[in-house]
Amino acid sequence: MREFTARFASAEEIADWDRHVTANPNGGNLLQSEAFAQVKGQYGWKPLHLVYETADYSSYNLVLEKSFPLLGKLWYMIKGPDVAGAEDIPGIAAANREFVSRAKLGVFAVKVEPDIVDSPEARAEFGRAGLVKTFNLQPNDSTALLDVTPDEKQLLRTLHSRGRNAVRRALREGVEVRNVEGTEENFRAMYALMTNTVEAKANVQVREYDYYRQFWTAFISRGQGRLLFVYEDGVPSVGAFVINYGRKGTYKDGGSLQRRNQYGDSHLVQWTAINQLKELGITEYDFCGTPPSDRLKDTSHPHHGLGLFKTSFSKTVTDFVGCYDQVLSPVRYKAWTLAGEKVFRQLYWRRHRQQFY
């Protein structure tokens, strides 16, 4: 087992945060980024910057902290820690425990959700570290990933036939994809397309508009995000917000009108985004959320329709391990799981009308 130490990042490291995160073993994650830390800092979380060090590498990770009366502090290491493999999780857990105790940080639990592919061996490492499986929070704990390293012609041939045929037909019929500016008008149009699609097809609640406005602005201002539209009759009919972060591209947000005349338009938006981000150096594209691999054909799953679309590009689904809790104070954690989390989530919703996590 590798031994790790944990510490907070220096001011100089925080000032160059994205360069450090994208140098992590797995290339970082957009939810560990400077932009995302800025957004979550406006929504009830305190961003912290944590560095793990071992003989072979360093790992830079964003931690979101909330404090609760009587219980203390909860750390949410969103999409982290970024480690070389599941075998490093016990060493990370030991470093957390030592650091929190030594620095008297008052943390009762650390919620982690690294991008480690789920397997019996990975679950065994989490168990060896004493971590407790809990409910997943992020939509891409199961997702479609596409290797985009082949050249454009070869890449098109690797797509599922449904996606490849849709892209080719849209190109033949002259469907036009446009990159648009991050204006209030375009953000409003994008949000309308999202709510129309996600709430109708995925049966999930979309966050309030202001959250997305801040999110999109934060990434666009850093050159890490872009907005693409297809138009019909002069109005946006398909939209996508995509992110380039390190070597990874992500289809973060999308939506469309339910009745459209241009076949393959949503596929062509994705194909256009992928090829644009390839020019920026990405090697992998994350379609950001599908049903788990064993439920792809389950029509009752809220992401069934979205899964069909996304797997028309990548033929397989990757399941990550999802969320685990590291318990640092058993008594306070028990109070949190029995009632505390439910109560604080309800209170937060009543006060702010916003999602807790």
Side-chain angles (χ1 to χ4, degrees), residues 79-291:
K79 281 296 172 181
D82 190 328
V83 291
E87 66 275 9
D88 284 344
I89 291 299
I92 292 289
N96 285 342
R97 187 174 297 278
E98 189 279 332
F99 180 48
V100 167
S101 175
R102 170 170 49 84
K104 296 181 171 58
L105 298 175
V107 178
F108 69 87
V110 182
K111 188 176 292 290
V112 302
E113 53 182 10
D115 278 347
I116 294 173
V117 176
D118 190 27
S119 69
E121 295 77 17
R123 293 193 292 271
E125 292 291 354
F126 279 76
R128 191 160 68 90
L131 273 61
V132 179
K133 186 70 180 82
T134 185
F135 57 89
N136 293 345
L137 293 172
Q138 297 305 319
N140 62 339
D141 285 322
S142 290
T143 192
L145 301 173
L146 181 65
D147 175 4
V148 300
T149 55
D151 64 47
E152 185 173 342
K153 290 183 179 179
Q154 179 59 32
L155 180 59
L156 185 59
R157 287 195 290 268
T158 67
L159 304 188
H160 191 289
S161 59
R162 287 184 290 118
R164 182 171 61 251
N165 293 337
V167 168
R168 286 174 170 167
R169 178 170 169 181
L171 288 170
R172 286 197 308 269
E173 296 183 358
V175 176
E176 181 184 1
V177 179
R178 303 182 198 173
N179 291 83
V180 299
E181 298 295 320
T183 64
E184 180 71 13
E185 178 183 3
N186 288 333
F187 284 167
R188 290 283 182 183
M190 180 65 196
Y191 187 74
L193 291 172
M194 284 175 56
T195 54
N196 181 62
T197 298
V198 175
E199 293 182 350
K201 290 189 174 181
N203 194 31
V204 295
Q205 183 67 40
V206 177
R207 289 181 186 267
E208 69 281 2
Y209 168 73
D210 193 58
Y211 179 91
Y212 285 99
R213 181 184 60 78
Q214 291 189 48
F215 185 100
W216 296 332
T217 299
F219 281 93
I220 289 174
S221 67
R222 291 169 171 82
Q224 297 169 339
R226 58 184 60 197
L227 185 59
L228 300 92
F229 280 159
V230 168
Y231 291 82
E232 278 193 17
D233 300 323
V235 299
S237 56
V238 179
F241 185 79
V242 299
I243 291 172
N244 57 282
Y245 192 70
R247 61 178 183 261
K248 298 179 182 180
T250 302
Y251 171 30
K252 175 59 178 64
D253 300 308
S256 60
L257 299 179
Q258 298 307 295
R259 295 183 179 180
R260 310 189 305 281
N261 296 318
Q262 300 179 109
Y263 183 87
D265 47 6
S266 56
H267 284 84
L268 188 60
V269 167
Q270 291 303 308
W271 181 243
T272 302
I274 288 167
N275 284 285
Q276 288 183 2
L277 298 191
K278 276 190 66 176
E279 294 179 2
L280 299 177
I282 72 162
T283 59
E284 183 179 68
Y285 191 78
D286 184 352
F287 284 89
C288 205
T290 65

Side-chain angles (χ1 to χ4, degrees), residues 21-32:
V21 172
T22 54
N24 281 345
N26 292 301
N29 188 289
L30 70 91
L31 299 185
Q32 292 269 307

Side-chain angles (χ1 to χ4, degrees), residues 37-84:
Q38 174 187 315
V39 174
K40 297 304 283 187
Q42 303 299 315
Y43 285 85
W45 294 94
K46 179 182 178 181
L48 303 174
H49 301 80
L50 194 62
V51 184
Y52 296 109
E53 292 171 312
T54 189
D56 301 309
Y57 66 89
S58 298
S59 178
Y60 290 76
N61 296 270
L62 176 65
V63 174
L64 303 175
E65 179 184 274
K66 277 192 179 184
S67 298
F68 304 96
L70 303 178
L71 296 178
K73 298 171 182 176
L74 172 71
W75 277 5
Y76 178 20
M77 195 174 299
I78 188 167
K79 281 296 172 181
D82 190 328
V83 291

